[in-house]
Amino acid sequence: MSRSSLTGVFVGSHAIAEGLLTREQLRERSYRRLVQGVYADPALELDHRLRCAGVALLLPPGTAIGGPSAPQSPRSTPWRGRDP
């Protein structure tokens, strides 16, 4: 993670651990909290897709967002055929 990546969506504790910002800076700079522990640059449009991107950062490997939110997830892959 680099300073430039803080303009997107990031896990706050990871950014703090890597010395990219302090807990105080996280609050003072008006980063938008998407879900607990996940933040986004306030310049980004707050929509369902952005929230899904935040949630996806917390998912364990091999898991995915399901239901109506699945198409919004950065981990989703388009369905391209028939069910097996």
Side-chain angles (χ1 to χ4, degrees):
M1 186 182 307
S2 67
R3 289 193 186 280
S4 64
S5 67
L6 293 178
T7 60
V9 178
F10 61 94
V11 177
S13 61
H14 295 177
I16 291 167
E18 293 181 26
L20 300 175
L21 74 165
T22 66
R23 216 174 279 285
E24 294 73 29
Q25 289 171 324
L26 187 60
R27 291 187 199 109
E28 291 170 1
R29 293 188 182 173
S30 302
Y31 288 108
R32 180 176 286 138
R33 181 178 164 202
L34 300 178
V35 295
Q36 185 172 348
V38 178
Y39 298 85
D41 182 334
L44 297 174
E45 181 180 347
L46 179 60
D47 59 10
H48 191 69
R49 181 179 293 273
L50 187 66
R51 288 191 188 275
C52 287
V55 169
L57 292 177
L58 301 176
L59 295 176
T63 62
I65 294 174
S69 297
Q72 303 300 320
S73 172
R75 291 189 184 185
S76 69
T77 52
W79 181 70
R80 300 188 195 282
R82 297 172 21 163
D83 287 333

